[in-house]
Amino acid sequence: MPKCSLAQEMEATRSDVGQIVMWCGVIALHQRYGIGPSRQDRLGKAVEEDSLIAQRAGLTWMMREIRQNLAEVLPAEELEFRVPMLRAPKNRKEQQLAMAGNQAATVAWLLLARGVRRELGFGQSRLHQLREDILGNYRQLNQWCREDGPEAGLEKLRRCAERAIHEDLRLEL
């Protein structure tokens, strides 16, 4: 297997972390609020539309717009999303990968929060609780990965997400 450059590893980290945050959100919406497949699908379409707009208009511009919109209901510290980690980064490379993961997690959280606010009418308290639930689900994934290995941990996440949306899935990590 050829060795990846740091830029390739950072991009893979962004993709993986963004996807994990979204699935943790889908699971949290189902577990706490009973949001079923049809409403999850509507939410997914809204998030996807915003994501496409962000790609066309520029991610920085779109994230600024979303932050301004969500600042009405969320404190500034809840507009950022830091990925729960099993251990602190040991070197510069791990720090850079952690920063890439946190950037992707923040983008995923902002897109999800905007969609949830718009499509499901969530206000401050439910958005705050959703964020906490997503963090809890991510911590649970970390625990599964530590105890059973990454493949088994991701398989458990996939099964939880399938139960949430009543559909077979394949996580692309």
Side-chain angles (χ1 to χ4, degrees):
M1 176 181 235
K3 192 170 183 172
C4 293
S5 70
L6 179 59
Q8 290 170 320
E9 283 186 64
M10 289 174 67
E11 187 54 39
T13 297
R14 282 186 197 98
S15 175
D16 293 352
V17 168
Q19 194 174 155
I20 290 169
V21 168
M22 286 294 187
W23 286 119
C24 287
V26 164
I27 294 163
L29 286 165
H30 177 70
Q31 288 174 331
R32 179 162 305 267
Y33 301 104
I35 306 296
S38 64
R39 289 171 52 195
Q40 292 267 12
D41 188 47
R42 192 174 80 218
L43 173 62
K45 288 177 183 169
V47 169
E48 191 173 328
E49 284 175 20
D50 282 347
S51 181
L52 290 172
I53 292 169
Q55 289 173 8
R56 285 193 304 265
L59 187 61
T60 304
W61 175 83
M62 184 69 170
M63 291 303 107
R64 188 172 42 247
E65 291 292 313
I66 292 174
R67 281 178 197 276
Q68 288 172 351
N69 177 268
L70 291 173
E72 300 169 6
V73 292
L74 290 175
E77 63 272 9
E78 291 189 19
L79 295 175
E80 298 294 321
F81 197 98
R82 300 285 174 244
V83 175
M85 300 181 74
L86 293 173
R87 64 173 178 76
K90 291 182 179 179
N91 54 43
R92 178 89 171 124
K93 178 182 176 182
E94 288 184 3
Q95 289 173 341
Q96 289 179 302
L97 290 172
M99 288 180 354
N102 288 335
Q103 289 169 344
T106 297
V107 168
W109 162 242
L110 291 174
L111 288 168
L112 184 61
R114 176 182 167 117
V116 164
R117 180 156 166 70
R118 207 172 55 214
E119 295 298 319
L120 304 177
F122 277 31
Q124 181 179 12
S125 64
R126 288 196 296 173
L127 280 172
H128 171 76
Q129 186 60 59
L130 176 61
R131 186 176 183 281
E132 292 302 311
D133 290 345
I134 293 169
L135 284 166
N137 287 346
Y138 209 113
R139 285 185 191 101
Q140 179 65 61
L141 172 63
N142 283 345
Q143 184 179 342
W144 288 335
C145 290
R146 181 180 59 232
E147 292 171 356
D148 305 325
E151 292 81 17
L154 290 170
E155 176 61 20
K156 288 179 181 181
L157 179 73
R158 184 190 64 76
R159 286 195 314 254
C160 289
E162 281 183 345
R163 282 193 297 272
I165 62 172
H166 303 286
E167 191 176 305
D168 290 338
L169 323 158
R170 201 174 106 226
L171 296 180
E172 311 234 351
L173 303 177

